[in-house]
Amino acid sequence: MSQDPTVRVERWTLQSRISILAAAIILAILATGPFFFGNNAIDKLTTLFIYVILAVTWNALAGYGGLVSVGQQAFFGLGAYAAVRLADAGLNVYVSLVLAAVIIAAVSLPISSFMLRLRGGEFAIGMWVVAELCHLLVNLDSLVQGETGTSLIALNAYDADTRHALNYWVALGSMTAILVILFVLLRSRIGSAIQAIRDNEEAAASLGVRVMGTKRIIYVFAAFGAALAGALWLSTAITFQPKTYFGVQWTAYMIFMVLVGGLGTFEGAILGALIFFLIETWFGGSGVWYLIGLGATALVFSLFVPRGIWGWLERRFGLGLLPLGYRILGVPSATRMQTPDDGGIGAAPSVGTP
């Protein structure tokens, strides 16, 4: 049987190249934000950048790694706490924010030795237990004074305008670095191994994949992202109260963003963060009805749009702005798989092997 010359395998398309260029232009424009926007707009955009970090790192852990955690607030809170401690020791406050995330990523290594032995619901609940233990331990620190909390008083060294601008630039730079690192990681052999483990851990091990080591990489990366987000949030809120930073609502926000945007899709987590940011901006003052609305929306998407908004768009229209795998294009109609939601473009799904 002769091979159809129209069939080709590709990773980068014109669409994806334009998307990367557009993303670079948008980031360059955003970098000038403090010169044109007021402090209120700067603070809101800083919040959006933090939400993107939370969404993409939780999606990396659960959507690509298959490790569904309901305890990422452990690292979020520890990141803020470590930043307070480092700043109190005399380190520059903005250096403290990034170094705190690095330290908590290192702390997550021994934790991973125990947690990664758990699977499914056991892992999810185990992470929640870790978060509660971290909360209790932080409360014992005399600097924190229990639930009374403390403040990142080192920020007082900067005037208001400078502080808002620095928070913005650090958050924007952190988000950009997280996105680039994750994109490169998921396109590498490690990314393929991560997804293979998610699909079938035993089969991946039989093919020579280092299961525990690969899972540890994505676990530590997700811990780093959550800790960095926690430290950045502290720089905008200034005050640190353990019950706020170790609250399960942070993981609930992550889950909401990823479910709505598209679990297991790179673009979906970013879209979900943007949607959550807009919802919070418009309806955040609605009190308990706001939380009820978030829960109902997440439930609807789980039942009727399980692939999320971006997952549906990707399947329906063949969108692939930031491709992680290969695409098989031009498959002959006699051999291509027929699916009810094929999108009519004659393309098979992406192949995750780099």
Side-chain angles (χ1 to χ4, degrees), residues 22 27 50 54 59 63 70 75 102 138 182 193 198 221 230 256 264 268 275 278 305 330 340 350:
L27 289 172
I50 295 171
L54 288 173
N59 185 47
V70 293
F75 303 119
V102 174
V138 168
L182 182 60
R198 174 199 63 191
F221 179 80
F256 176 87
I275 292 172
L278 294 175
V305 194
S350 296

Side-chain angles (χ1 to χ4, degrees), residues 5-240:
T6 63
V7 177
R8 67 184 188 278
V9 178
E10 64 179 20
R11 168 170 277 186
W12 289 106
T13 64
L14 178 61
Q15 182 185 68
S16 62
R17 290 188 176 93
I18 292 174
S19 299
I20 292 292
L21 177 61
I25 293 173
I26 291 172
L27 289 172
I29 294 173
L30 286 174
T32 66
F35 300 114
F36 302 102
F37 302 144
N39 285 341
N40 185 54
I42 289 297
D43 286 346
K44 287 187 178 298
L45 285 172
T46 301
T47 298
L48 174 60
F49 301 153
I50 295 171
Y51 286 161
V52 171
I53 293 173
L54 288 173
V56 299
T57 52
W58 192 87
N59 185 47
L61 184 68
Y64 288 100
L67 298 167
V68 179
S69 169
V70 293
Q72 290 304 100
Q73 67 270 18
F75 303 119
F76 184 88
L78 287 175
Y81 168 69
V84 168
R85 262 296 173 191
L86 290 170
D88 183 69
L91 194 64
N92 176 274
V93 63
Y94 287 101
V95 173
S96 298
L97 300 180
V98 178
L99 183 57
V102 174
I103 291 173
I104 300 308
V107 170
S108 73
L109 269 172
I111 296 176
S112 70
S113 298
F114 301 98
M115 297 310 303
L116 293 180
R117 298 180 186 278
L118 305 177
R119 296 190 187 183
E122 292 179 345
F123 175 82
I125 299 302
M127 283 303 303
W128 177 79
V129 172
V130 168
E132 291 302 305
L133 288 174
C134 291
H135 182 184
L136 292 173
L137 289 172
V138 168
N139 274 349
L140 297 176
D141 190 338
S142 59
L143 176 66
V144 176
Q145 306 176 66
E147 294 297 353
T148 302
T150 185
S151 300
L152 193 61
I153 57 176
L155 284 173
N156 293 332
Y158 302 87
D159 62 79
D161 290 340
T162 301
R163 186 171 66 245
H164 287 290
L166 288 174
N167 289 346
Y168 177 91
W169 279 319
V170 173
L172 176 62
S174 298
M175 179 193 71
T176 302
I178 287 286
L179 289 173
V180 171
I181 293 170
L182 182 60
F183 185 66
V184 172
L185 178 66
L186 292 176
R187 284 169 60 92
S188 69
R189 292 186 179 277
I190 294 175
S192 297
I194 290 168
Q195 295 173 70
I197 294 169
R198 174 199 63 191
D199 295 337
N200 192 314
E201 187 170 315
E202 288 73 19
S206 70
L207 293 175
V209 173
R210 295 177 59 250
V211 173
M212 188 61 72
T214 303
K215 290 167 68 174
R216 184 171 287 117
I217 290 173
I218 202 67
Y219 182 90
V220 171
F221 179 80
F224 172 79
L228 183 58
L232 291 171
W233 190 270
L234 174 66
S235 71
T236 62
I238 300 179
T239 59
F240 174 77

Side-chain angles (χ1 to χ4, degrees), residues 318-340:
L319 293 178
L321 303 185
L322 299 170
L324 299 178
Y326 293 98
R327 295 175 64 84
I328 304 173
L329 302 178
V331 180
S333 59
T335 59
R336 51 183 287 225
M337 181 182 296
Q338 299 292 334
T339 62

